[in-house]
Amino acid sequence: MYNPESNRLLQDILSRSGKSGKLDEHFLMRLSANFQDIFNYFHTLYPLRNDVWDHLERLVNVLIDKYLERDKDLKLVDKKREGDPNWILSQELVGMMLYVDRFAGDLKGLKDKLGYLEELGVNLVHLMPILKCPEKNNDGGYAVSDYRSINPAIGTMEEVKALAKDFKKKDMVLMMDLVLNHTSNQHEWAQKAREGDPKYQGYYYFFNDRTVPDQFEQSLPQVFPESAPGNFTYIEDVNKWVMSVFHNYQWDLNYTNPEVFIEMLDIILYLSNQGIDILRLDALAFMWKKVGTTSQNLWEAHLLIKTFKSCVRVGAPGTLFLAEAIVAPDEIIKYFGEVQTTSNECDLAYNATLMTLLWDTVATKNNRLLWSTMHNVPHKPMGATWLNYVRCHDDIGLGYEDQHAEWAGYSPWHHRQFLINFMVGNIDWSFGRGRKFMEDKVKGDARISGSLASLAGLERALVEKDKDAEALALQRIVMLHSIIVSYGGIPMLYAGDELARINDYSFEEDPSLSYDNRWMHRPKMDWKQADLRKKKSTVEGKVFTELQKLIKIRKKQKAFADSEVRHLVDCHNQHLLAYVRGEGNKRVFVVVNLNDHPEELKMDMMFHLGFDMKKGVKDLYSGAELDFSGYKYTLDPHQFIWIIQQ
Ligand code: GLC
């Protein structure tokens, strides 16, 4: 609804800025269309501040200044994407996340290795933290000391800008991290706060004594209870406590202070102006804190993201947000915002729910928990999409809802115990070779570290020189990827998994890493090993070639776009995971055998779904016609079929 008050304010701000003459009609149109939301959100976030309008004025000036600095080419990209907002749903997108230094040494090296990514079919690359951070105590780069500089060991901002240009030419998409929730204690703001500057102490949550921290601690969970217990750190220089929910060197930013919001907005637009297509908003569930709550997923955190989103819609509409909210299934979905069509928060979100459930299927070989969860998770908005992944640089949290486990016929606590023990190989027959991460011995809870291949049984098979187990593990690795490729959303591979890299235990020798066993699944790329992909008979060759094939087929198959529907199909066999993608005779019926034994798909299912069995059906993946002559089709262990009508 038109609000004359906000409109008047905007006109005043524009005329005071003296820059309206330099602004184009696209920007002005977007500004007036979004300003009312920004105005309302800001007022709701900061209701008690009498200086709220001054801050709003500063905010608009940041939007103007950053837009005036934005390159012409990027403005063209903005226009193109505004005209085709569903570009992100395309089946042609396939991503990979990688640490630049571990993958290619530095940004120059990465440029040389783009051919490798293209060979696999990857066209969206997530550069894991590349901003400046301390040499040690940096949480893999998630403790940023300067948001406007690149880690010098990796390269320069000019190189990032040039890389973004190369990407655009190749029709590739560039993503990078933005850690909004906290900075490193080495950041200039933190340094000034430590020197006693009240302005910068106000950028963080500083407390004179333990009174408020103790109140917080009553309800705040701990993220790293083993390596970083507690949520506050004592700063001797000023005799105060600062909030540090992650590590003690990662200080939480205080967004109840609008100055922090504006600083971060400036940074978002600055990075977007370097040509970054997607910003991965790290740990965004934690962005607002309140005594008496878990300080996760609070409505104010959502409002902050909505405000950032509205601002980006004005200043850099071609730039998208990815939500890194590894929280309960019902909470993740909220980071898309609450609209049905396009998102008003993040455009993409990690599908942590699917990821966890995939590991559940690996351990149980059945679809029960996946089925009961997926049927009860609300739908995402149509214009937003999932980032589907099997592994990433972080641990795996078994974050499914207890109720869904009960509906699947499990006792939630015992089932979690089973999964943990399975994944770390504490059960005789288990092939998982993970490790517990941040174990809570009292509750018997833990998250899991470990590489995809090691968790999927390859490490054990190689150690035991068991060829059958090796073949099964490889098939399992490909099967898991086949699901993220076909399920709906962007498949995001984790560098190293395309070569079935097993755990790397060298982190144990490095005292700066040994406290964090997530490093066991963050191996340095071994380019000699990568060469083995060219030999089909090797482990690397088998996995790389199959993934390449999966990607190739996905890109050509419109039914795999996220604009197409998906519905899960009950094949009356708990070992089969099945879903239909797309509609009519263009649809694909995906059937996955989760079991390490053969399983049957009954022909009734095919009739039920309306396939014309006289004409016959074909597996898009193998290209073979499927033989239902015994009124059933038998899938090999971990085989998957992508059925289409002949
Ligand atoms: C995110 C990152 C994780 C990091 C944390 C704190 O969850 O993925 O690696 O430790 O944020 O920044």
Side-chain angles (χ1 to χ4, degrees):
M1 229 192 334
Y2 175 71
N3 174 346
E5 192 193 346
S6 75
N7 188 46
R8 217 171 20 249
L9 179 68
L10 179 60
Q11 296 318 319
D12 289 351
I13 295 177
L14 279 172
S15 82
R16 277 197 293 272
S17 78
K19 291 174 188 158
S20 6
K22 295 191 198 149
L23 297 163
D24 61 52
E25 51 170 342
H26 301 291
F27 177 85
L28 289 169
M29 201 176 67
R30 294 194 302 254
L31 180 58
S32 62
N34 285 283
F35 186 71
Q36 196 174 312
D37 281 344
I38 299 173
F39 174 95
N40 288 336
Y41 297 153
F42 221 64
H43 201 227
T44 314
L45 282 168
Y46 307 112
L48 301 175
R49 305 210 31 148
N50 352 341
D51 56 357
V52 65
W53 306 127
D54 300 340
H55 287 297
L56 202 55
E57 177 149 7
R58 273 193 55 212
L59 179 153
V60 174
N61 280 298
V62 167
L63 290 178
I64 294 175
D65 291 342
K66 282 285 167 290
Y67 187 69
L68 291 174
E69 286 167 18
R70 192 162 174 82
D71 283 355
K72 252 196 353 253
D73 291 353
L74 293 177
K75 291 180 182 169
L76 288 177
V77 174
D78 289 339
K79 261 178 90 182
K80 192 167 157 223
R81 291 186 178 161
E82 277 192 303
D84 176 21
N86 284 348
W87 69 275
I88 199 69
L89 308 184
S90 167
Q91 78 283 1
E92 284 175 25
L93 289 170
V94 174
M96 178 180 274
M97 55 194 296
L98 51 90
Y99 286 100
V100 176
D101 53 343
R102 301 201 144 230
F103 183 77
D106 54 19
L107 285 164
K108 281 195 193 76
L110 179 66
K111 214 178 148 197
D112 295 341
K113 298 297 182 197
L114 289 185
Y116 174 80
L117 300 177
E118 288 174 300
E119 182 186 332
L120 186 58
V122 165
N123 51 13
L124 184 161
V125 182
H126 169 198
L127 306 181
M128 307 276 295
I130 51 172
L131 295 177
K132 199 166 171 198
C133 61
E135 229 169 271
K136 299 227 156 95
N137 288 342
N138 61 32
D139 189 20
Y142 287 102
V144 177
S145 54
D146 182 354
Y147 290 92
R148 289 188 178 77
S149 313
I150 300 297
N151 179 352
I154 289 179
T156 62
M157 199 54 92
E158 285 66 43
E159 282 172 341
V160 170
K161 210 168 172 176
L163 186 73
K165 283 208 172 115
D166 285 349
F167 265 51
K168 296 252 155 34
K169 276 189 214 133
K170 289 174 179 286
D171 232 352
M172 288 174 78
V173 177
L174 189 58
M175 169 152 116
M176 71 174 274
D177 279 278
L178 178 57
V179 189
L180 288 174
N181 178 65
H182 45 263
T183 72
S184 151
N185 62 356
Q186 303 302 309
H187 191 284
E188 190 192 350
W189 303 334
Q191 302 277 28
K192 288 189 174 151
R194 191 196 287 277
E195 285 158 16
D197 186 333
K199 170 173 167 162
Y200 290 100
Q201 287 187 356
Y203 274 36
Y204 301 93
Y205 291 92
F206 267 87
F207 301 100
N208 291 334
D209 56 36
R210 286 286 316 183
T211 315
V212 182
D214 285 345
Q215 289 170 3
F216 264 112
E217 289 290 14
Q218 307 267 326
S219 54
L220 268 184
Q222 303 206 25
V223 182
F224 298 128
E226 280 182 335
S227 54
N231 288 291
F232 295 85
T233 302
Y234 179 64
I235 309 298
E236 213 179 327
D237 312 18
V238 284
N239 185 25
K240 289 188 186 196
W241 294 84
V242 71
M243 184 182 265
S244 54
V245 168
F246 289 85
H247 293 98
N248 58 11
Y249 53 81
Q250 289 165 302
W251 293 4
D252 288 69
L253 284 167
N254 180 355
Y255 282 94
T256 65
N257 178 353
E259 302 216 14
V260 173
F261 181 92
I262 291 167
E263 293 270 17
M264 273 301 170
L265 175 65
D266 200 310
I267 288 166
I268 289 178
L269 294 169
Y270 168 81
L271 293 173
S272 153
N273 281 355
Q274 310 309 308
I276 306 298
D277 300 290
I278 306 178
L279 287 169
R280 172 192 182 273
L281 305 186
D282 182 69
L284 78 178
F286 295 78
M287 281 169 64
W288 196 275
K289 279 82 178 175
K290 253 195 283 193
V291 168
T293 71
T294 58
S295 297
Q296 287 183 35
N297 307 314
L298 296 182
W299 65 264
E300 292 91 338
H302 284 283
L303 207 54
L304 278 174
I305 301 156
K306 283 192 178 72
T307 321
F308 279 131
K309 181 69 185 168
S310 299
C311 291
V312 166
R313 277 203 175 132
V314 176
T319 303
L320 305 186
F321 285 162
L322 162 67
E324 194 260 337
I326 312 303
V327 292
D330 283 356
E331 293 295 339
I332 298 182
I333 203 97
K334 294 183 189 157
Y335 289 91
F336 288 126
E338 60 283 295
V339 278
Q340 293 290 308
T341 45
T342 51
S343 145
N344 64 349
E345 289 192 25
C346 294
D347 311 272
L348 305 101
Y350 278 97
N351 200 345
T353 309
L354 178 68
M355 181 277 294
T356 305
L357 296 170
L358 288 180
W359 287 107
D360 182 86
T361 68
V362 168
T364 62
K365 308 183 181 88
N366 73 51
N367 65 24
R368 279 158 48 192
L369 187 55
L370 190 145
W371 184 264
S372 78
T373 304
M374 285 310 185
H375 271 286
N376 291 291
V377 176
H379 291 292
K380 64 164 181 66
M382 272 152 21
T385 195
W386 288 113
L387 221 140
N388 291 323
Y389 63 115
V390 188
R391 276 307 281 123
C392 71
H393 68 296
D394 277 332
D395 47 287
I396 302 173
L398 302 175
Y400 53 81
E401 306 277 6
D402 285 357
Q403 200 177 33
H404 297 156
E406 277 165 17
W407 291 338
Y410 298 123
S411 138
W413 189 84
H414 287 103
H415 192 62
R416 271 201 184 85
Q417 291 302 303
F418 160 70
L419 291 177
I420 294 168
N421 284 321
F422 176 85
M423 292 174 89
V424 304
N426 270 353
I427 305 174
D428 288 357
W429 52 270
S430 151
F431 49 73
R433 287 296 176 267
R435 280 198 190 162
K436 290 183 189 173
F437 178 70
M438 298 298 145
E439 182 175 14
D440 179 338
K441 288 207 169 86
V442 181
K443 288 195 200 138
D445 209 359
R447 282 127 65 188
I448 310 292
S449 286
S451 79
L452 194 160
S454 290
L455 291 168
L458 185 63
E459 183 172 335
R460 176 177 166 173
L462 293 176
V463 169
E464 295 182 359
K465 300 200 172 50
D466 180 339
K467 280 286 169 196
D468 292 341
E470 179 186 312
L472 217 47
L474 294 182
Q475 184 57 28
R476 200 173 285 123
I477 292 169
V478 179
M479 173 196 81
L480 289 166
H481 281 101
S482 82
I483 300 171
I484 60 164
V485 162
S486 61
Y487 195 75
I490 301 175
M492 180 59 97
L493 278 62
Y494 179 51
D497 289 344
E498 78 287 6
L499 300 170
R501 299 284 311 260
I502 57 173
N503 290 336
D504 170 9
Y505 298 104
S506 62
F507 78 100
E508 289 173 330
E509 314 306 322
D510 181 342
S512 70
L513 306 180
S514 57
Y515 68 93
D516 186 342
N517 70 19
R518 289 178 298 174
W519 288 98
M520 71 196 265
H521 54 257
R522 298 172 180 174
K524 280 204 179 114
M525 181 65 159
D526 176 345
W527 286 100
K528 279 218 180 82
Q529 188 192 4
D531 280 344
L532 296 174
R533 73 187 184 281
K534 294 172 190 151
K535 267 204 200 146
K536 269 262 190 118
S537 58
T538 60
V539 161
E540 294 77 7
K542 283 180 195 148
V543 173
F544 192 93
T545 320
E546 296 290 321
L547 298 199
Q548 209 176 25
K549 183 172 166 191
L550 284 171
I551 292 170
K552 211 170 173 180
I553 301 178
R554 167 187 158 94
K555 288 189 175 177
K556 289 204 199 116
Q557 196 46 240
K558 183 77 179 51
F560 289 153
D562 206 16
S563 45
E564 300 293 316
V565 293
R566 175 195 55 247
H567 59 265
L568 292 178
V569 175
D570 181 0
C571 296
H572 308 295
N573 178 342
Q574 61 168 344
H575 299 296
L576 297 181
L577 168 65
Y579 42 90
V580 171
R581 297 300 323 280
E583 287 168 297
N585 50 15
K586 295 266 163 57
R587 75 208 152 136
V588 179
F589 178 30
V590 175
V591 185
V592 184
N593 181 5
L594 302 169
N595 206 352
D596 47 15
H597 293 287
E599 290 293 337
E600 288 174 2
L601 171 68
K602 299 272 186 313
M603 185 138 94
D604 296 1
M605 251 0 274
M606 305 303 292
F607 291 133
H608 178 70
L609 291 171
F611 280 99
D612 182 345
M613 298 309 281
K614 281 199 205 99
K615 283 194 189 150
V617 287
K618 191 172 138 183
D619 173 17
L620 196 59
Y621 189 69
S622 64
E625 187 169 338
L626 294 175
D627 179 7
F628 274 87
S629 53
Y631 292 97
K632 60 177 199 283
Y633 177 81
T634 306
L635 285 94
D636 289 338
H638 297 316
Q639 188 191 347
F640 53 90
I641 43 179
W642 290 350
I643 307 175
I644 50 166
Q645 181 75 65
Q646 290 260 56

